[in-house]
Amino acid sequence: MISKFLTEVTTKFNPFSKNGKKCRIFLAQLPPNARQTMKINTKLLPRDSREASSLNLKFKDGLEMKLDTEKLPIKDVMEEVDRHSRILNRQADLLGN
């Protein structure tokens, strides 16, 4: 996963539910120095919570992505993040940055 262009990651999930697994996997895919390069907010819901899991991302270009982890598989979540990161990488290469 290309995390170079992420500026903020906000997750809300129940760690004991099946749907919380996608947020946990996404957080595990972030590099070890992620807290130094981006802002990470995590809200853990109580065990008996019925609130839906969510994953909100902000990129360096200002795009805010709200991904529905209840419906999308983790592979599709990673694909969406990588797709936008590749676009930003291509733009940076064209500008010579």
Side-chain angles (χ1 to χ4, degrees):
M1 180 175 71
I2 305 168
S3 63
K4 178 176 151 182
F5 299 102
L6 287 172
T7 58
E8 187 175 342
V9 176
T10 305
T11 60
K12 178 178 64 172
F13 63 97
N14 179 351
F16 302 105
S17 76
K18 187 176 178 183
N19 292 328
K21 185 176 181 180
K22 296 168 190 171
C23 289
R24 289 189 321 232
I25 291 172
F26 183 84
L27 290 172
Q29 294 296 318
L30 294 175
N33 66 344
R35 290 207 180 268
Q36 298 167 355
T37 59
M38 67 185 80
K39 185 176 179 184
I40 300 175
N41 300 316
T42 304
K43 180 180 178 191
L44 298 178
L45 301 172
R47 182 183 293 251
D48 56 350
S49 174
R50 297 286 178 221
E51 204 171 336
S53 299
S54 68
L55 178 63
N56 300 329
L57 306 168
K58 289 185 184 176
F59 289 87
K60 286 187 178 178
D61 66 342
L63 177 78
E64 291 187 29
M65 210 181 261
K66 295 181 181 182
L67 299 169
D68 186 10
T69 56
E70 300 285 324
K71 296 178 183 174
L72 288 174
I74 188 63
K75 186 176 179 183
D76 290 348
V77 170
M78 300 290 210
E79 201 171 285
E80 287 293 319
V81 173
D82 282 344
R83 180 179 298 133
H84 190 68
S85 294
R86 283 192 301 270
I87 291 169
L88 292 177
N89 194 18
R90 197 170 311 130
Q91 287 175 352
D93 288 345
L94 290 174
L95 293 174
N97 295 337

